[in-house]
């Protein structure tokens, strides 16, 4: 089986590796619920959370995952404003090498920054979101959540809705879901659908109700406020009217369709509270729970040198 | 000092056929060429069976870093790289610090070239003061000082009004405006050509249409003003199509391209290789093929190195933050010859694009092998190979987009005004 040195993206993974990671994560999910995690698996190992971009939830999720496996966890937050110079990024890499860090979790606002670090550090690098490129652990936790509810992660119709252009979550999910044999639809205004995306086998819709017809999974994305100031969407109320998920639009999907969101949500912009908080449809809280399990599986796998 | 080249091939008078013969250099000029010239007393002999003696290459566009960016490249280091690449004349972009927008700075560049003893530097001057895109530079005074044309280098002259004025005013002095053909607004913030590759890498895109839009506008402005426009590094089939039509209409429109645009496509930026981050960006395979076709059919007037020296700190950054630009002096000949090996260009075509045509565009005496012309020469073997290795190239700038590439076409020697400066 292929070994995994870093987790920089879903690109480059294969279905066997993904399935193995999901199986391991599933076991951690069960252990987490029972409260009996192995606390010594990563004893003596150092995990550094290097965040160049604020993200309380992803950082906390990695921190919990590391601690539950017994690793020493250090959080380093570097404000993006002081790190626009790349020398600093590589200086940081040199510092981390000197600290004998084993696992390095990186979030950065520039696409490819974790890949650049991976060339320079000895640690296994985990991409926790880079610019508009990838967010692989999010796609894995989404896949695990789906598999737990649908019993499979293939042959499903998944609608990903909103700002596809600027979403690393969307890219990682498209890669994973198409690789595993699902039908992926992208829904959004033309200004937020990136060029050349249809070649990857997805179908693009600009009419949300049309795109949601018969969907098994409705995956919403966060709309950044900058998109409105950047002129890509005229206003949040117009966006909500056409691309916000409410009960009426959700009715087009299958009756048992799941509603997902990577968080944090903009209620009333991309999703209506009534849908987001509906326990029969929304699995948003479970996504957070599965996040910890998936990150434990990734840390565990990489700490063992990627042997599954 | 005289040199007799024997057992070499060179282009005949028509510049259509390679013939075997001898070339005699005396007093810094080509004294004679033909068969059995006989050896004058004291003449040095250069024999190189299978090699081609071509005019020294005329690079119609390069940035040399000096003044202001000596950490990237100096004129001395660029001259060393040029000599190793067979280049004996370089038209230098004004994008230094300070920019070349003053007659004194034009003189400086010319005299620094003379000091090298190996390469003539022909300065472009700024099209707008300080390259700010706001007001015209002093075209008359700059021309008198020796500027060859006006350009804002890697920055497009974005304002239609200013471009109109520049073309119109320059035409009064019989001078050209060289445009970086890119709609500045469409290209803003972009790092790669728009399309699937940029999308999956999460990089902001620059649409190919940004080039065509700028080219279409400027052709129209050239027609309006009667001015002459030259498009630097054309990279897209659409823009080249517009240029072809404009030329057919007899407008004063010319263009060049650079080796990366006919040798590489957007896939070269995979794994965030910042050495392949260029401006304009590497395009799709269809566009690359269109550039090759435009070289063959004469739409493109010259091949320039587009040398843009960058140092490691400019490039070892996340892709979107890295400075665009590639080193190109030493690979100019070899990458161009690859089009001869693949059968897309003939050897005379390729050499004309590197010598005669850019020399004519720049108004130089060089670029032609003929009696009485300056003995600026490049001797190369078209079948001997070498490998491009970033870090081991001559000169200071190592940011080659061709790292690792095997090249057929080895420069054996370079002569400037009859004096051997390389090999």
């Amino acid at each position: 089986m292929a070994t995994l040195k870093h987790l920089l993206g879903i690109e480059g993974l294969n279905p066997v590796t993904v399935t193995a990671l999901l199986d391991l994560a599933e076991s951690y999910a069960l252990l987490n619920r029972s409260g009996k995690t192995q606390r010594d698996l990563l004893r003596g190992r150092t995990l550094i959370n290097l965040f160049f971009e604020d993200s309380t939830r992803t950082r906390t999720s990695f921190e919990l995952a590391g601690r539950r496996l017994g690793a020493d966890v250090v959080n380093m937050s570097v404000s993006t404003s002081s790190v626009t110079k790349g020398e600093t990024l590589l200086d940081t890499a040199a510092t981390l090498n000197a600290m004998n860090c084993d696992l390095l979790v990186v979030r950065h606002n520039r696409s490819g920054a974790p890949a650049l670090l991976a060339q320079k550090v000895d640690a296994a690098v985990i991409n926790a979101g880079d610019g508009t490129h990838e967010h692989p652990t999010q796609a894995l936790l989404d896949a695990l959540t789906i598999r737990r509810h649908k019993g499979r992660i293939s042959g499903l119709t998944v609608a990903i809705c909103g700002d596809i252009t600027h979403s690393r979550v969307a890219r990682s999910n498209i890669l994973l879901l198409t690789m595993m044999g699902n039908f992926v639809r992208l829904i959004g205004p033309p200004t937020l659908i990136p060029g050349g995306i249809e070649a990857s086998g997805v179908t693009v819709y600009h009419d949300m109700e049309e795109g949601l017809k018969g969907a098994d999974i409705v995956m919403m994305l966060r709309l950044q406020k900058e998109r409105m100031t950047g002129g890509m969407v005229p206003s949040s109320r117009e966006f909500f009217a056409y691309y916000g998920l409410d009960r009426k639009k959700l009715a087009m999907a299958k009756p048992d369709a799941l509603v997902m969101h990577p968080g944090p949500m903009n209620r009333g912009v991309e999703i209506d509270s009534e849908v987001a908080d509906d326990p029969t449809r929304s699995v948003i809280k479970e996504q957070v729970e599965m996040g910890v399990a998936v990150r434990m599986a990734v840390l565990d796998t990489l700490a063992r040198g990627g042997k599954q | 000092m005289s040199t007799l080249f024997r057992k070499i091939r060179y282009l005949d008078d028509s510049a259509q056929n390679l013939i075997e013969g001898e070339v005699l250099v005396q007093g810094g000029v080509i004294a004679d060429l033909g068969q059995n010239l006989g050896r004058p007393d004291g003449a040095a002999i250069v024999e190189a069976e299978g090699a081609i003696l071509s005019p020294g290459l005329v690079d119609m566009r390069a940035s040399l870093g000096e003044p202001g960016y000596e950490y990237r490249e100096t004129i001395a280091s660029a001259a060393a790289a040029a000599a190793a690449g067979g280049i004996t004349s370089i038209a230098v972009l004004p994008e230094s610090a300070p920019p070349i927008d003053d007659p004194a700075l034009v003189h400086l560049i010319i005299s620094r070239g003379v000091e090298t003893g190996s390469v003539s530097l022909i300065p472009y001057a700024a099209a707008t003061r300080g390259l700010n895109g706001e007001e015209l530079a002093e075209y008359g005074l700059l021309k008198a000082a020796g500027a060859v044309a006006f350009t804002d280098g890697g920055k497009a002259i974005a304002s239609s009004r200013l471009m109109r004025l520049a073309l119109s005013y320059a035409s009064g002095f019989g001078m050209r405006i060289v445009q970086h053909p890119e709609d500045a607004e469409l290209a803003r913030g972009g790092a790669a050509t728009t399309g699937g590759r940029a999308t999956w890498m999460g990089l902001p895109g620059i649409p190919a249409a940004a080039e065509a839009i700028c080219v279409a506008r400027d052709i129209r402005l050239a027609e309006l003003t009667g001015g002459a426009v030259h498009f630097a590094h054309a990279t897209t089939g659409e823009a080249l199509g517009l240029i072809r039509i404009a030329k057919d209409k007899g407008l004063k429109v010319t263009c060049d391209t650079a080796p990366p645009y006919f040798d590489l496509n957007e896939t070269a930026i995979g794994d965030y290789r910042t050495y392949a981050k260029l401006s304009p960006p590497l395009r799709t395979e269809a566009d690359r093929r269109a550039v090759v076709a435009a070289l063959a059919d004469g739409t493109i007037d010259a091949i320039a190195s587009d040398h843009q020296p960058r140092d490691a700190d400019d490039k070892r950054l996340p892709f979107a933050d890295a400075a665009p630009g590639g080193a190109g002096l030493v690979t100019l000949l070899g990458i161009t010859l690859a089009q001869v090996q693949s059968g897309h260009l003939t050897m005379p075509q390729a050499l004309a694009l590197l010598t005669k045509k850019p020399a004519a565009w720049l108004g130089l005496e060089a670029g032609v092998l003929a009696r009485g012309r300056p003995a600026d020469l490049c001797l190369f073997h078209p079948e001997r190979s070498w490998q491009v290795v970033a870090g081991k190239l001559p000169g200071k700038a190592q940011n080659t987009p061709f790292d690792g590439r095997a090249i057929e076409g080895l420069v054996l020697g370079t002569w400037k005004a009859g004096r051997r400066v390389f090999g």
Side-chain angles (χ1 to χ4, degrees):
Chain A
M1 185 171 296
T3 57
L4 208 58
K5 168 90 173 85
H6 306 288
L7 181 67
L8 300 176
I10 297 297
E11 191 179 12
L13 299 187
N14 58 45
V16 177
T17 309
V18 168
T19 305
L21 282 170
L22 294 181
D23 290 347
L24 185 59
E26 176 76 42
S27 72
Y28 278 123
L30 296 172
L31 280 173
N32 282 343
R33 281 195 178 171
S34 71
K36 288 181 282 189
T37 48
Q38 289 170 276
R39 291 196 169 270
D40 56 350
L41 208 70
L42 296 184
R43 189 163 306 286
R45 305 288 194 107
T46 306
L47 163 69
I48 297 184
N49 272 324
L50 182 60
F51 277 59
F52 293 90
E53 206 179 60
D54 288 337
S55 165
T56 314
R57 63 173 62 213
T58 305
R59 201 205 64 218
T60 309
S61 181
F62 271 106
E63 188 175 349
L64 264 179
R67 288 196 197 287
R68 283 190 185 162
L69 293 171
D72 296 322
V73 181
V74 181
N75 291 321
M76 287 176 69
S77 294
V78 196
S79 81
T80 26
S81 58
S82 68
V83 188
T84 44
K85 282 274 175 201
E87 291 93 329
T88 317
L89 190 62
L90 293 187
D91 287 349
T92 310
T95 311
L96 295 168
N97 277 340
M99 289 176 180
N100 292 320
C101 159
D102 299 292
L103 294 153
L104 180 64
V105 175
V106 185
R107 164 157 301 187
H108 200 284
N109 67 343
R110 291 298 194 194
S111 303
L116 181 63
L117 270 173
Q119 291 168 15
K120 305 287 171 188
V121 297
D122 305 325
V125 175
I126 298 138
N127 179 3
D130 63 328
T132 54
H133 176 224
E134 281 224 49
H135 191 354
T137 56
Q138 179 72 42
L140 287 166
L141 75 87
D142 288 342
L144 181 60
T145 308
I146 293 169
R147 201 176 76 167
R148 287 168 62 93
H149 282 267
K150 297 292 175 191
R152 64 185 201 277
I153 187 67
S154 61
L156 298 167
T157 298
V158 184
I160 305 178
C161 317
D163 181 1
I164 312 291
T165 295
H166 303 93
S167 176
R168 53 195 174 212
V169 174
R171 282 176 182 68
S172 286
N173 265 308
I174 295 166
L175 287 167
L176 189 148
L177 292 166
T178 52
M179 183 208 323
M180 301 303 284
N182 298 283
F183 308 102
V184 176
R185 301 174 181 175
L186 304 181
I187 303 174
T191 46
L192 296 178
I193 303 284
I197 197 103
E198 277 167 308
S200 61
V202 301
T203 317
V204 173
Y205 293 85
H206 303 305
D207 178 334
M208 190 165 183
E209 295 194 5
E210 194 64 34
L212 288 182
K213 265 183 199 160
D216 296 292
I217 311 289
V218 183
M219 209 176 257
M220 301 307 298
L221 299 171
R222 179 178 167 79
L223 182 77
Q224 308 279 354
K225 286 216 177 63
E226 305 92 86
R227 303 312 158 212
M228 257 110 49
T229 53
M232 291 178 172
V233 175
S235 71
S236 57
R237 71 172 186 183
E238 172 143 319
F239 186 81
F240 183 71
Y242 291 92
Y243 299 102
L245 186 67
D246 55 18
R247 210 161 265 299
K248 179 169 168 283
K249 295 194 193 90
L250 182 58
M252 304 302 290
K254 281 190 184 158
D256 61 347
L258 302 180
V259 174
M260 306 179 77
H261 193 295
M265 286 182 277
N266 288 310
R267 293 167 183 269
V269 178
E270 71 259 357
I271 192 162
D272 192 43
S273 286
E274 198 189 357
V275 175
D277 300 333
D278 178 350
T280 65
R281 308 300 293 274
S282 165
V283 292
I284 296 170
K285 281 184 201 141
E286 189 176 334
Q287 285 174 276
V288 178
E289 183 191 350
M290 291 308 121
V292 178
V294 154
R295 284 158 187 142
M296 288 172 80
V298 168
L299 295 175
D300 180 0
T301 304
L302 291 179
R304 282 185 281 113
K307 294 182 194 69
Q308 288 162 337
Chain B
M1 193 177 70
S2 54
T3 308
L4 179 66
F5 292 87
R6 291 204 304 213
K7 297 185 180 171
I8 47 102
R9 292 180 290 160
Y10 61 89
L11 285 176
D12 68 2
D13 290 345
S14 69
Q16 293 303 313
N17 309 297
L18 279 172
I19 53 172
E20 287 203 20
E22 300 181 352
V23 173
L24 178 66
V25 170
Q26 276 178 322
V29 298
I30 296 165
D32 203 1
L33 63 175
Q35 315 296 326
N36 305 319
L37 298 181
R39 181 185 182 182
D41 287 344
I45 299 279
V46 176
E47 283 185 356
E49 228 159 318
I52 294 174
L53 187 68
S54 129
L57 272 47
V58 177
D59 180 2
M60 74 180 292
R61 195 181 54 258
S63 274
L64 300 188
E66 199 178 333
Y69 300 103
E70 288 83 356
Y71 72 96
R72 291 172 168 168
E73 187 93 279
T74 63
I75 285 173
S77 72
I87 298 166
T88 50
S89 303
I90 301 177
V92 183
L93 290 172
E95 49 200 5
S96 47
I100 308 304
D101 64 353
D102 186 276
L105 293 163
V106 172
H107 284 301
L108 171 77
I109 297 295
I110 294 171
S111 56
R112 290 303 311 276
V114 172
E115 283 170 26
T116 68
S118 65
V119 62
S120 302
L121 300 184
I122 302 109
Y124 286 106
T128 68
R129 244 180 244 272
L131 306 176
N132 286 330
E134 284 161 11
E135 45 182 334
L136 298 183
E138 298 162 318
Y139 291 178
L141 297 175
L142 289 164
K143 179 190 177 187
V148 70
F150 305 105
T151 180
D152 279 356
K155 283 168 77 178
I157 299 164
S159 153
S160 306
R161 179 181 168 277
L162 192 65
M163 187 63 179
R164 176 188 177 179
L165 289 175
L167 284 165
S168 175
Y169 188 67
S171 71
F173 294 102
M175 295 289 272
R176 293 186 175 98
I177 300 295
V178 176
Q179 175 71 300
H180 170 74
E182 190 168 76
D183 183 282
E185 272 293 295
L186 280 177
R188 196 173 55 192
T193 198
T194 298
R197 165 79 33 182
T199 290
W200 287 110
M201 290 177 73
L203 296 174
I206 300 174
E211 182 170 296
I213 287 168
C214 181
V215 165
R217 181 198 75 171
D218 291 349
I219 287 173
R220 189 65 190 82
L221 290 175
E223 192 171 12
L224 178 71
T225 58
V229 64
H230 176 87
F231 296 107
H233 40 221
T235 65
T236 64
E238 193 181 357
L240 287 163
L242 294 166
I243 292 167
R244 200 172 279 129
I245 293 167
K247 287 184 154 193
D248 288 347
K249 282 168 78 175
L251 298 175
K252 293 175 197 154
V253 173
T254 51
C255 72
D256 68 73
T257 194
Y261 302 113
F262 56 80
D263 193 79
L264 301 172
N265 63 28
E266 56 176 346
T267 60
I269 66 168
D271 295 329
Y272 300 99
R273 281 188 62 228
T274 55
Y275 279 15
K277 181 179 179 183
L278 305 177
S279 174
L282 290 170
R283 303 290 187 185
T284 61
E285 176 60 11
D287 280 326
R288 187 195 69 79
R289 286 167 190 249
V291 173
V292 172
L295 284 171
D297 73 13
T299 303
I300 294 174
D301 298 277
I303 298 171
S305 75
D306 222 4
H307 183 69
Q308 287 285 343
R310 299 286 180 260
D311 89 336
D313 288 345
D314 297 321
K315 287 290 191 182
R316 275 186 208 145
L317 291 171
F319 197 89
D321 296 330
L329 295 173
V330 80
T331 48
L332 174 61
L333 176 66
I335 300 292
T336 302
L337 291 179
Q339 294 300 324
V340 177
Q341 284 135 20
S342 63
H344 292 103
L345 294 179
T346 64
M347 183 64 82
Q349 272 182 316
L351 292 180
L353 286 161
L354 295 170
T355 59
K356 188 181 174 182
K357 288 183 159 189
W361 191 96
L362 293 163
L364 305 181
E365 267 202 302
V368 184
L369 280 195
R371 285 182 194 88
R373 295 292 184 118
D376 290 2
L377 301 167
C378 165
L379 182 70
F380 68 94
H381 199 296
E383 277 121 42
R384 283 206 212 153
S385 62
W386 60 287
Q387 193 182 21
V388 182
V389 180
K392 294 187 173 169
L393 297 178
K396 205 164 182 179
Q398 300 295 322
N399 54 307
T400 171
F402 300 108
D403 190 19
R405 168 73 185 267
I407 283 183
E408 271 185 65
L410 182 69
V411 176
L412 304 174
T414 306
W415 285 260
K416 179 69 183 173
R419 195 175 71 86
R420 190 162 194 160
V421 294
F422 174 76

